[in-house]
Amino acid sequence: MSRVERVLLPLGAAAAIVAIWSVWARGGSGGATDFPTPLEVWRGYGHLLQPMPGEHAPLILKHIVSSLFRTSFGFGAAAAVGIPLGLLLGWSTRTHAAFNWLVQMIRPISPIAWIPIAIMVFHGDDMRSVLLIFIAAWGPIVVSTIAAVHSVPSMYLRAARNFGLNDVQILRQVVIPASLPQILLVLRLAAGISWLVIVAAEMVAVQGGLGWLVQDARYQGARLDLVVGTMIVIGLLGWGIDLLLRRLERHPRVSWGYPRHG
């Protein structure tokens, strides 16, 4: 596919979606609808881009920063805890036998179920959201890191032992590099989960952020133009987060497990 096609095809698809949306929202499908048209959503951004009283930054920028901060903090904490724990459980059979049951028991509990506990334990909105994101991202990271360690071909380990490497050296020089592509893949998935959870948490447990902005617009006389406009921003930011992590996958140091295309 040429570079021109890579640009024109998404733009053409976006234009078609906007055209269909515009016709449908005007009742072109056979009946009237209260769903906002693209033009109404565009006008709604005028409200979202206005600064709050006594402030200079646009209204939506404040909430974007809040959501990104909470997501980054919670996701970073989950990765900092989950990756080393997954490596330990994947490498040590005794540790895996002792604690894997606990991981598998906690992991299926929905982060939303932790909202009452987060509200009870923390008084600040930020820490409540961070806890929920940590819980949402931690489980997949641990489980996938364990699986990544277990999937390292045994011939790599035998070759490393033949060269006289001890367990710590094998873990650092063989297991971690071989597991890194799969770990980065689950980080992408966990980042998407974190972004989903922060929006849900902000709609229920905190005051501020993009999720709260959606909820607030709903109570402002059902301002669906603001709701849809904020949803588009949420989607674009989530797409941007995924693109950043995809660039990490293409880093030259992350070469094991990925086929190279000419």
Side-chain angles (χ1 to χ4, degrees), residues 80-245:
V81 173
I83 293 175
L85 181 59
L87 290 171
L88 176 61
L89 293 176
W91 182 247
S92 172
T93 55
R94 289 185 174 86
T95 306
H96 185 273
F99 295 105
N100 182 60
W101 67 271
L102 183 60
V103 173
Q104 300 302 333
M105 186 183 73
I106 295 175
R107 181 175 61 88
I109 301 175
S110 170
I112 306 303
W114 291 84
I115 287 179
I117 296 176
I119 294 175
M120 180 179 64
V121 173
F122 298 109
H123 298 290
D125 289 346
D126 289 336
M127 290 308 301
R128 291 172 182 171
S129 303
V130 166
L131 175 63
L132 298 178
I133 294 167
F134 175 87
I135 293 170
W138 171 81
I141 292 174
V142 172
V143 171
S144 293
T145 303
I146 294 172
V149 174
H150 288 169
S151 65
V152 175
S154 58
M155 63 179 180
Y156 292 166
L157 305 180
R158 289 196 299 268
R161 295 191 190 281
N162 289 338
F163 280 104
L165 274 65
N166 58 38
D167 285 349
V168 175
Q169 291 172 323
I170 293 174
L171 182 63
R172 188 178 70 250
Q173 299 180 26
V174 178
V175 174
I176 293 177
S179 304
L180 194 54
Q182 191 169 337
I183 292 173
L184 285 179
L185 177 60
V186 75
L187 287 179
R188 279 182 59 195
L189 298 176
I193 294 172
S194 300
W195 195 238
L196 289 173
V197 170
I198 186 59
V199 173
E202 288 172 345
M203 294 180 72
V204 179
V206 303
Q207 297 289 321
L210 292 171
W212 180 86
L213 195 59
V214 170
Q215 194 79 329
D216 184 62
R218 176 188 169 196
Y219 290 121
Q220 288 185 33
R223 289 289 305 272
L224 287 181
D225 56 334
L226 302 183
V227 171
V228 174
T230 306
M231 290 171 61
I232 292 173
V233 172
I234 292 170
L236 290 174
L237 289 172
W239 180 33
I241 292 170
D242 185 70
L243 287 177
L244 288 175
L245 291 173

Side-chain angles (χ1 to χ4, degrees), residues 24-83:
W24 172 76
R26 289 195 179 99
S29 59
T33 172
D34 292 330
F35 198 83
T37 65
L39 182 59
E40 289 170 338
V41 172
W42 180 258
R43 290 172 178 167
Y45 281 119
H47 172 79
L48 295 176
L49 293 174
Q50 289 179 356
M52 296 190 64
E55 298 183 2
H56 299 288
L59 169 66
I60 195 169
L61 181 59
K62 173 186 176 182
H63 296 292
I64 288 174
V65 171
S66 296
S67 294
L68 287 176
F69 168 77
R70 293 163 180 162
T71 303
S72 301
F73 201 99
F75 173 72
V81 173
I83 293 175

